Amino acid sequence: MNVENLRALQEPLKAAYRQEPASAIVILRANAVALDGVACRLDTGRALVEAGLHPAAGGDGSQACSGDMLLQALVACAGVTLSAVANSLGVRLRKAEVFAEGELDFRGTLAVARDAPVGFRALRLRFAIDTEADQSTLAKIVELTERYCVVLRTLQASPPIAVTYNRTEDSLTS
């Protein structure tokens, strides 16, 4: 996609959002259904994925790990954002790869040590970019990618999360 095509797609949206800010608010949803054993099934919108325990928590590795899926969401968002930013600046990327690593201490997850955190204790995001752009332009592309990548910003800002539950009898309801 070239810069003109991207602008043609986004300008009407930007204009609408400027005129009617509330129209920019979108609620994304995901759901999973718990399965027998220690697993759940979620619909990604493209395929069904079965998620289970990571081998370090007792899983056999045959199911997707939610920690891996978080990192995959991060690199997907960063990759799309990087491409969009480069495109909007008129910079051609010959090749761009995005890598994410997350460091976990499974002692926390398995309640082995109270002082061990539950969840990632460190995340690392790395870009490998092949382009003719000069260093300052490349730095600007990465800076703007960091600024506009929804998943990265969400992880950095740690928004409040409301946790609720309800008891259901025979069927699941939303």
Side-chain angles (χ1 to χ4, degrees), residues 67-83:
D68 289 333
M69 293 167 69
L70 178 79
L71 296 176
Q72 291 160 358
L74 176 58
V75 297
C77 188
V80 169
T81 306
L82 177 78
S83 295

Side-chain angles (χ1 to χ4, degrees), residues 26-32 42-45 174:
V26 175
I27 297 175
L28 303 178
R29 291 183 170 82
N31 70 292
L42 61 127
D43 185 348
T44 67
S174 346

Side-chain angles (χ1 to χ4, degrees), residues 94-112:
R94 288 186 291 257
K95 183 176 182 182
E97 294 182 85
V98 185
F99 304 90
E101 292 180 336
E103 187 175 303
L104 289 160
D105 182 342
F106 276 92
R107 293 176 308 149
T109 301
L110 295 176
V112 171

Side-chain angles (χ1 to χ4, degrees), residues 62-170:
S62 67
Q63 297 163 317
C65 164
S66 54
D68 289 333
M69 293 167 69
L70 178 79
L71 296 176
Q72 291 160 358
L74 176 58
V75 297
C77 188
V80 169
T81 306
L82 177 78
S83 295
V85 167
N87 194 315
S88 70
L89 295 177
V91 174
R92 182 176 162 271
L93 302 177
R94 288 186 291 257
K95 183 176 182 182
E97 294 182 85
V98 185
F99 304 90
E101 292 180 336
E103 187 175 303
L104 289 160
D105 182 342
F106 276 92
R107 293 176 308 149
T109 301
L110 295 176
V112 171
R114 285 187 176 264
D115 63 330
V118 176
F120 288 103
R121 66 183 190 183
L123 295 172
R124 292 177 285 280
L125 185 64
R126 180 173 61 87
F127 298 94
I129 304 167
D130 181 8
T131 182
E132 291 178 6
D134 62 34
Q135 190 60 33
S136 67
T137 302
L138 184 56
K140 185 68 172 175
I141 290 169
V142 172
E143 173 190 325
L144 292 172
T145 298
E146 287 183 73
R147 181 175 178 183
Y148 295 113
C149 176
V150 171
V151 174
L152 176 60
R153 295 298 288 192
T154 301
L155 290 169
Q156 290 172 328
S158 188
I161 299 174
V163 177
T164 63
Y165 70 94
N166 65 308
R167 180 182 297 247
T168 60
E169 295 298 323
D170 295 323

